[in-house]
Structures are given as structure tokens and as C-alpha cells.
Amino acid sequence: MGSTQESGTEGGVLTESLVVFLIISVVCVAGGLGVVFSRNVIHATFLLLVSLMGVAGIFLLLLAEFLALVQVLIYGGAITIVVLFVIMLTKSDEFESLVDNSQKPLAFLISIGLFVVMTVAAIAADNGNTVRASLKFSDLGHSLFTDWAIPFEVASLVLLVALIGAIVISKQGEEE
Amino acid sequence: MMLLDFTVMEGVQVAWLAPAACILAFVLIVSLRMFDSKIGSVISIVAIASGFAIFLYVFGQFNESGPAEFAREWFTIGSTKITLGMAIDQLSVVMLGVITFVALLVQIYSVSYMEEESRFGWYFGVHSLFAASMLILVLANNLLLLYVAWELVGLCSYLLIGFWYEKRSASEAAKKAFITTRIGDVGLLIGIILLYRTAGTFDTSTIIHIAQEGGFADSTLMAAVLLIFLGAMGKSAQFPLHVWLPDAMEGPTPVSALIHAATMVVAGIYLVARIFPLFEVADPSLTVVAVVGLSTAVIAASIALVMTDLKKILAYSTVSHLGFMMLALGSGAYVVAMFHLFTHAFAKALLFLSAGSVDHGTGGKRDIRQLGGLRKKMPITFVTFSIGALALAGVPPLGGFFSKDEIMMAVMDGRHPVFFLIAIIAAFMSSVYMIRALILVFFGDLKPENQEAHESPALITAPLLILAGISLVAGLVLSGWQDFFNAKHHDINFLVLALSLLASLGGLFLGWAIYSKEWISSRDVAAKFGDLEKYASNGYYLDVGYQWCIDRIVLVVARIVSLFDRIVVNDVAVNGTGYSVFLSGFKLRYVETGKVYNYALAMVVGILVVGLTIYWGLI
Amino acid sequence: MTNFWLFIPEFTITALAFGVIGADLFLARENKKYLPWISSIGLIVVLGIALNYLLGKQENLYGGLFLIDDFSMFFKVFFLILGLLVVLISSEYVKNHIKHPGEYYGILIFSILAMMLMAASGELLTAYISLELLSFCLYVLVASGRYGEKSTEAGVKYILLGAVASAFMLYGISQIYGLVGTTKFADMNLVLVAENSSALDLGLIMGIVFIIGGLAFKIAAVPFHMWAPDVYEGAPTPITAYLAVGSKAAAFALILRMMSSGFISIMEDWQMVIIVIAALTMTLGNLVALAQNNIKRLLAYSSIGHVGYLLMGVVAMTPLAFDGIMLHLVGYGVTNLACFMCIIMLYNSTGRDDVAGYAGLADRSPFLAMSMAVALFSLAGLPFFAGFTTKFYLFTAVANEGLIWLVGLAILNSLISLYYYLMVIKSMYIDPSEDTTVLVFSRYSLSVLGILVVFIFLVGVYPGPLVELIQEASQSLFSYIP
Amino acid sequence: MSLVHFQILSAALFSIGLYGVLARRSAVLILLSIELMLNAVNINLIAFSAYTESLASTGQVIAIFVITVAAAEVGLALAIIINLFRSKGSVDIDKIDVMRW
């Protein structure tokens, strides 16, 4: 099932790939933090794009080229654009006053708590495996269309329903 | 099954027709919306009359061929078949008779009593439904069906107490009855399910059989039996769950007579009698029954002494007598309990209907301080009320005398003498309050505002006379009763007999002395009742002494008890539970802020709490 | 090679959905009234096809992704009938209040497909994607109410919270996938049995809890219930009925299969938590319902209460308890639909959905008041109505496992619930109405309501055949456990 | 560099997204935060599939579905939000509490 590739070394030495990982991680996290702390919704959207492109980089590090491609195409090419459209359609100046709600401190605590729990879980379960495996496009495609044919078909219906729904709902306000 | 095969059928195969007829009446009245017309009452009375006819047939068959049972499958739970069926035995035949007969009389009475009401047909519809469910309750051969009927009966009671829902007190009372009895019902259903868990069936006779074979773990059986008893306590208004019954007097008087005196409230007694062998196996449980019964009898009687509302006096008297029945059950004599149930049903229905007649004749007065001297204006009611009162007071040879006496003997046999002594005191008090009510309502001077009082029409007095006749002779069936139940005759214990007689008559005399002295001048007494004048004047010291006793001891105790009753039991335990339930409902709703992020926070906190709980193995 | 005949109900129902949406494009505005007929006849045809081809089949497709057995068959039939009934109760409402009937019915039918898939899926991803299809359909349907009303608000709340819940569920799936190494329920069970993990590690717990959290959101169990009252109130009324019955039933179908064939070996770990959730859910639902004055909101809380009862069955984890859950789902479903049919009929003619709007209904429309009373009595679990039989079965099954106090709490809660149902009934029969015009309904509505009321009595009085079907279904579920 | 690094990154993104969901007032910003959470899931999935040979393609397949669903979700949610904006003139979550209690 594809080639395997040695990476990293023993003893926590900073390898090239680790450095790359750290840089991309910082981009991801910084972008994410920007999304949730930014006071400007347009900035937030662009920072989301930055963060998601970082995620695409992570996918590359994980040897999932196809996913990285999809990530860039869908998030960069579609989702962000749609969000920007919507922001333009709605009154963006409202966002200046629309910052955070009253439960912000609690939200902060809970998020930190969840992060701690998840990190502890990850560290506890770590099996120290440093070998990454990559997957051929054709294998992915084959598996998607044979083993996972049912979810695939259902996913197409999900998209269809979302499409119809979006049209129906946004047409509602017209002609009234 | 050939339902309409007119060859001789077993009683049990016809018995179900009685509730079926009543349900049919209910469905007809409700679906045809005959809420305002008189036809509703005709349908209902025809149904219950045919129920009575069925009883006569069933009774005849039963005397020939003995107990019988039949059942059909309803559905299965796992491997357990749930059946619905009817059983005919001594208990159910007796109850069948009492219910159909009293209900028939009460409905006839209601035609005249309720004629001015709107929703006249609705009243009869619910009456029919009540009769049907009560009949199902007593005929049921399994606990599940019994429970079903038990709930329906409670629902009808709720509807009828709240019949005059425009009156705030009536709808409050309905609600209170509903909530209070529900507390018991939870126990009942859990108890039944507990029995089912071990027995794998709801069939009453099978469960009893298994219990007698020792098939239940002691603790399970004990828990189940006590939980079921909790249900009986709620329905039969045993202390401290009795508080709903006096309030239930907000309903129409015929309803009080039928449901809250003669039939529904004895369902608890019937239930305990029905599964009596279980109580015998789960040994100390009968002591609980006896203690509850005894305390109910005494406490309610002492409260009845100080009540001024005629229906409330009767209500507390009912509670007290239900206590006597429980006491008899707790003393191991369920046959005696059933006998008292029987005599009490007629006597108390009679009293309530007479009270209703007073009410009807005086334009709605129920406070005994505003009544008085009615015996001339309402002679028939006077006679019937007196018979009822004396029967309950236990004056020989009326029905109540025999049944009370039997209870006393049973208590003497089955329990510690202390029980007996307290029971005698309760019996004594019941004489006092009965005579008090009798004197204050029918003797003395006629109040000027009551000059218009008149005797009630024949549709009202006829049922009164019939019930009075039965109360007069009910005691005579005693020996037949015990044979019918194959029970042993108690050896007559003359000490007990004498004491209980003394209690009844002493109570009557005392009441007479106190209440006629207080309301009529001694000269009037001397003039009217020459024989008694000597006693009254001789008994002056006694009079003062008893008055003192009553003022300083009985009244104080009674007030304390009734205060306790009002505040602790009523306001805190019953209303308090109700209110706290409501309050928490009303407070909790504000958690629902309408804000998405609050909702999301609740979810996330939920997830974290659940996860960490599992991780740390907290529960 | 996969036998595609086994997918025939799914294929045909997809075709039906497309057909309805397509027909909408070609039908003139005055002919749109035929859409519900097309949909319902189509659903009946699908039902016939499903029964004809799949009855009694036992198949395991795509290595356990998709299971055809009595359990999934039962739910398929249940969902198809449910969908049919929802189409029937929708038709008059849609005519008056919904702008795009074709899409409404089409998406409704897609959601039925989604529920069928959920009941049949034997694997996390398939289950998830089907759940997501259902959710999307419901988001659209919830938000499809008349412009400017509460519907949009309900839609926003539902989709945002639903997305959060689905993110958690996905994270859970990823954890399970990484740590257990498979997403198929049956294999998961094998791995978990083999590990024989007395103490689960945190990551795995996180996975399971996140997934349960996502499903708990769907069934609106406390504390994941908070969207439900708002969404139920805001959604178009037939959709509220559908949410309360369909999406819950589908999520329960999934939960039952997942718990019984995936997580049964680590039952001790999650059992206690579900007990607590069940207790909280039923208590909170019934208590808060006491304080409601909008009928849809009241029923939302009542349905939360019912979820509490159903969760007890999940805790008990026996075939008997599963029977109880399925039976109660059916009984509750029929009853709820009847209840909502009444609400829709009243809303269509008076525009009221607050409890006060029910005052004097008995005089204005005796049949409607009677049906509503029957439905409410059934929800309260009074004897001879569906609710009693099904609740009783469920409670008994749970008590059989020794959870007596939980059953006691449930009974207490049923009694509390009787109280608020009676408030509505009292309002209908007793309170005077300010408006005393007699309400007239179409023969169509009355007959649909009549059918539902008959069902309530049928399930209540003669549940035997239904119980037998359900027993077969739950047996097939437990046959997967080694 | 091993699996645990990626998992911690995923945890961080997930928590950041969650913070956004819990703390923001604009419906659009909440939606963006949810996207962050979904991406965290994807990192987790692909990391597992890359580091565990036996898991093979499943992780990537699931990730594809996650992206699909995320895209659809954004589309639908934005449509509903636009509708909300048209009827209320705002996308402020604090203002959509007509239905409560």
C-alpha cells in the first residue's frame, strides 16, 4: 500500500521535517487564533484561509497530496469566496460592534480545558511510531469507489440537498 | 367464544358485561354530546341497572358453581404473556354488588339533585365511566388490569371533584386529590412491577401461589407489598395521605357519597384484601397496615369532632372508618374488614345523600352552626340521617354495630391490647361526632333563615329510604357473611362486646349532653325530653368536666392534629411537593435563554463532564 | 459482486425524490396540489417494493457497511409509513404556508432515505454521512417556513448547533478510527473484546463520548437538548412532528445498533453515565413542560421527557428493552403525529398555537378536541391508548434489569406529565373561548386525523402483532453479538 | 516528529474553533470557527492514517467526506444566515432569541 518514508530521527533532535512542521503549525494556530480573536470579519475570513492553507501544508507533511490539493481547491477556491460574498451581501459594518458575547471567559476556560484533555489523551496514547505511509491516488480512488461507494453516493445527495436548500431558502424573501 | 349463547353461562363469562355496559353508556353520552340533555342520565341509569342485574345473575351462578376465572391474551413481553381477564370470587362478588347497587341509587338520586346543572349529561357520563372502571378494578384477575382501572378511577374522581371547576376551591381540590393519590400510585406500579420481575406474571392468583410457595425473596416481597400498600394508602385516604379526601367534598354531594365514601376510597381496602396472602407471607407488613389504620382511625375521628361543615365531618368520619378497615386487615381479619366495608358503604352513602338532601332543602347550607331544628321540616331526611348516624356510631342492632364489634374482636385476637384500647377510643369519638352532627342539624331551634326549608322530592328520598332499610338490617347477614367467605366465627368475647357497646352508647350520651346543653336551654330539654332531664342536670358536673376535657385536651389535641394536618401534611408534604415541582419547572425554563452560544456551552460542558466522569470512574 | 436488487428501496425512493422535485418544475401552480398525492403514492410503492424484495433477507453488504436484516427492515417500513403520514399531515399546511412545495416534499423524501440508511448502516462513516443527509434535509425543512417568521431563527439555531455537534461526532469518529483501527461496529466490538480493557484510555473514551454526544444532540437528551424547544417552536408544524418522531427514531435506530454491536463489551463504562443522562432528561423535560404556554414548545419538552424513557431502554441493553424502545417509538410516533395533526388543523383555521388558543375547542370542534385529548392521554400513558402499552412494556423491560429506582422515577415523571397534558385538555373542554365560531375542517384532514386516532387505539388495545414483528427485529440485532 | 505532534496541533485547532463557537456573537464568525473544528478533525484523521499502516486509505476517505460535508454546510448555513439578515437586518446571535423559555 504505497511507499513508506523514513522521517525524523531519534532523541528529539530538530530535524528538517520537524522544523517545517513547527512552522506550518504556527501558521495554522496563529491563523486560527486570528479567526477567533479578530475584530474585523473580513480579516477573520482571510486568516481562516491562512490557517486552512496551513492545514493543507500539514496534509503534505503527512504525505496526503490529494487531500492537500482538495483542501486548497475547496477552501481557497470556494468556501472562503462564498463567505466573503455573504459578508458583502450583509452589512459588514455591523461586525465592528459584533465582537464577543457575555460568556467569553467561560468559553476560554472550557476551550483550554478541552485542549488539555485532548493533549493528555494524545500523549498517553502515543505509540512513538515515526513511520509515515503514503497512499497512491489510484488506491484512494479505488477504495473510494468500491469499498465506500454507499457513503460516496450519499455524500452526493448531501451536496444536492444543500444546493436545493440554499436556493429555496434564499429565494424565500423574494416576491414577498 | 359464544358471548350470546343463552344457555346457562358461568357467571364469570357474563360479569364483564357489567363494565362493558357502563363504558358503552359513557361512549354514547360523550360521542353523541348529550351533555345538556336528560337522555344522558337515562342511558347511564339503564347501564348501571343492567350492571346490577348482571350482578344478581353472577351471584346466583357463583353460589352454585363457586369461584371462576377467565382470561384472554393481550400481548407478550418477552416470554411473558400479558392477559386480560376477570375473576369471580367472594371478594369480587361482594364488591360487584355494592358498587352496582350504590351507584344505581346515587345516580337515581342525582337525577333530581343535579337537575339544575348545566353539563348534566357530562356528569352522568363520567359517572358511567367511573362505574365501569371501578367494576373492572374489582373484577380484574391480574394486577396490571387492576392498575389500569385504578388509574381510570382516579381520573374520574378528579373529573368529578372538579365538576364545578368554576369554583377555584373545587379545581384546587381536584388537583390536590390528583397529586396526592398519584404519590401512592407510583408506589403501586413499582410494587406490581417488582412482583412481576420475580413471578413473571401479573396474574394475581399465580403470584399469591408463588408467594405461598416461598418463591419470592423476603426483601423483594416485603418491598413490593409495602409499595402496593402505599398505593392503597393514597386511594383509601390513610394518614398521612388522607388530606385530599376532606377537600374532595368540593365535588357534588352524590359524588361524595358514591366515590368518596362507598366505592372508590375502599379500593385500597379491597386491594389489600385481594392480595392478603402476600401480606401474610411478608410478615411484619401487616403490623404496618395495622399501625397506619389505627392512627388514621384515631386522628381522623378527633378531627371530625371539631369540624363544622357537615360534609367535612362525614369526610373525616369516612377517613376514620377506612382506618378501622385497615386496622381489621392489619389484624389479620380481611373478612371482617370487608364486612365493615359493606355496612359502612351503605351507612355512609346514606349519610352523604341525606346531607345532600339537607343541602338541597335548605338552599345549600352545610355549616352545622347555621342549621338546626330541621327534623320537622325534613322528616324523612331526619329519619334516614339518624339511621345512618346510629349505624356508624355502632348502635345495636344496626349494621355498623356488628361490623365494628367484629373489628374489635379481631383486633383483640390479632393485636396487642393497646391497639384495642385505642380503637375503642376512636369508636367512642365516632359516636360523639355522629350524635353531634345529628343534634346540631336536626334538633334545637329552627333558624329563622331556614324557615323555607322543605323535604326533598321523591327521587331523592326514595334512595335514602332504601339505603336506610339496608343499613337497618345489614347486621343480620353477618353469620351468612362469614359462611360465604368460609371464615371462622369469632367466639363472642363479652368483655369486648361490652366495651365496644359502652363506647358507642357512652359516646352518644356524652354527645347528647354536650351538644344539646350547649344549644338548647335546659328548660327546653326538660320540657321536651323529660326522661333525659334528670340525666342532664345530674350530669352537669360530667358535662362541665367533659367540656373541660374536650376544650383542654381533646380540642387542643384535635387542633394540634388538625394544625399538623393543615400545615405539615397538607401544605408542606402535599402542596409543598406540588409547588416545588412547579417552581423548579418555572425556574428551569429560564436556562433556555434562546442564545445559541449558551446552548453550545451546555453541550460542550456536558461532553466534558461525561467524558471525565467515565475516565475517572466517578460513577 | 454486490446484488444491487438489495438496494431497490433506496434506489426507488431516490428516484421518487427526484421525480417529485422534477414534477414540481413542470406542474402549473394550480396543479401543485397533486404533489402530496404523487409523494404518498410513490412512498406506498416503495414500501411495497421493499416488502416484496427484502422481507426476511439477511445480507451483509460491502463488508459490513450496509446491513439488511429484520432490524433495518423494521425501521425501513417504519420510516416509510412515517414519511407517508407526514406527507399526509403536511399537505394542507404546505398549501397555505410553504412557498416551494416541490422542494419540500422532495427533501422530505430524501430525509426518509437518510433515515433508512441510518438504520441499515453498520459502520461509522456510513452512519455519519446518512445522519448528515438527514440533518441537512431537516435544516432545510426547518428553515422553509414562511418568510420573516420564527422559522429562520429556528433554522440558524439548528444548523449552527447541529454543525458543532457534528464536528464533535467527527472528532469522535476519528479517535475511534485511529485507536480501534476500524469503523465497522462488528470489528470494533471484536477489537474491544480482545483488548479486554478494564480501564479505557482517555483517547478512546473521548472518541466514544464525542460520538454519543453527537447522537445525544440528535435525540435531544439533556444537556444536548437545548436547541429542541426553540427549533420545534419555530419549524413548520408538520416538520416539528417529523423532527420529534423521525429524527429521534432514526438516531435511536443507530444508537441501538451501535451500542449493541459496537460498544457492548465496554458496557459497564458508559452504562452509569447514560443512566444519569436518562434520569436528567426525563425529569427536566417534564418539569419544564409544566411552565410552557406554547403548545409546540410544550410538546418539545414532553418529547424530551420521552427521550429519557427511551434512554432507559438503552441502558438496560437487553433484547426485551430494545423491543420496548422500538415499540415505544412506534406508539409515541403515532400519538405525536395525531397530536400535531390537531395542532396543524387548529393553526390552519385560527392561526393559534398557544395553549390559550385551545380554550373552548370542545365546543368549536368536538372531534378535534376529542382527538387531541386522546393523543394527549396517550402521551401521558393512560391505559388503552398506545402510550400506556408501549411505555408499560418499556418500563417493565427496564425493571427486569433491576433498574427499579430509574423506573420509579420514570413513573413519577409520567404522572407529572399527565398534569400538563390535563391542563391542555382542561383548557379545551372547560375554559370558555372568546371566539365561539364553529370550526370546519376538510374531510381530508378529518379522515387523516381519524386514521391516526384509530392507530392510537389499535396499538393500545391490540399490540400483539406489532410486538411480534418488533421482537424479530431486535433478535436480529442481537444475533450479531458473538 | 510523530503522531502525537499532529494530534496536539489538531487539538489546538479544535479548541480554538470551539472557543470561537462559544465566544463569538456573529453567526458568520461562528460558522468560520466550526470550519476550524472540522479541519482539526481532518488533521487527526490523516495523521492516524499516515502513521498507522494497517489503517490504509480509510482516513483519507473519511477526510474527503468531511470536506464535502463542510462545504455543503457552509453553503446551506450561509443561505439561512442571509435569510436571517434579510428578515431581521442583523446576523447578531444575541438578537435571535425571540424563542426562549
Side-chain angles (χ1 to χ4, degrees), chain B residues 342-365:
Chain B
F342 179 76
T343 59
H344 173 263
F346 293 110
K348 196 45 83 47
L350 172 59
L351 281 172
F352 267 112
L353 293 183
S354 302
S357 169
V358 169
D359 192 49
H360 195 261
T362 59
K365 289 206 182 58

Side-chain angles (χ1 to χ4, degrees), chain B residues 421-580:
Chain B
L421 286 178
I422 300 175
I424 283 285
I425 294 172
F428 173 74
M429 287 194 277
S430 90
S431 296
V432 177
Y433 64 68
M434 277 331 312
I435 196 73
R436 170 173 175 254
L438 183 62
I439 290 172
L440 293 188
V441 174
F442 290 101
F443 288 89
D445 293 326
L446 191 63
K447 294 263 157 48
E449 67 265 28
N450 290 339
Q451 289 300 337
E452 299 298 308
H454 55 86
E455 185 55 273
S456 306
L459 268 181
I460 287 185
T461 49
L464 291 182
L465 289 170
I466 297 174
L467 283 169
I470 294 177
S471 284
L472 274 175
V473 300
L476 303 179
V477 305
L478 173 61
S479 62
W481 186 277
Q482 278 159 340
D483 293 335
F484 183 65
F485 274 94
N486 307 318
K488 67 177 165 65
H489 291 262
H490 281 281
D491 297 331
I492 299 207
N493 181 334
F494 284 102
L495 179 65
V496 172
L497 189 64
L499 277 175
S500 103
L501 202 55
L502 189 66
S504 310
L505 298 179
L508 290 182
F509 274 116
L510 177 66
W512 184 258
I514 297 166
Y515 296 107
S516 50
K517 287 308 274 184
E518 210 177 74
W519 291 90
I520 329 167
S521 73
S522 54
R523 198 176 305 150
D524 280 348
V525 174
K528 279 180 186 157
F529 304 102
D531 300 65
L532 288 172
E533 191 249 358
K534 203 165 59 179
Y535 169 77
S537 52
N538 279 349
Y540 191 66
Y541 172 75
L542 255 184
D543 192 359
V544 171
Y546 277 119
Q547 187 69 52
W548 186 87
C549 282
I550 287 179
D551 281 351
R552 294 295 146 82
I553 301 172
V554 180
L555 280 186
V556 168
V557 171
R559 290 218 174 94
I560 292 173
V561 170
S562 88
L563 205 66
F564 173 76
D565 184 58
R566 276 288 123 192
I567 296 174
V568 179
V569 180
N570 188 33
D571 292 352
V572 177
V574 177
N575 291 352
T577 323
Y579 290 141
S580 60

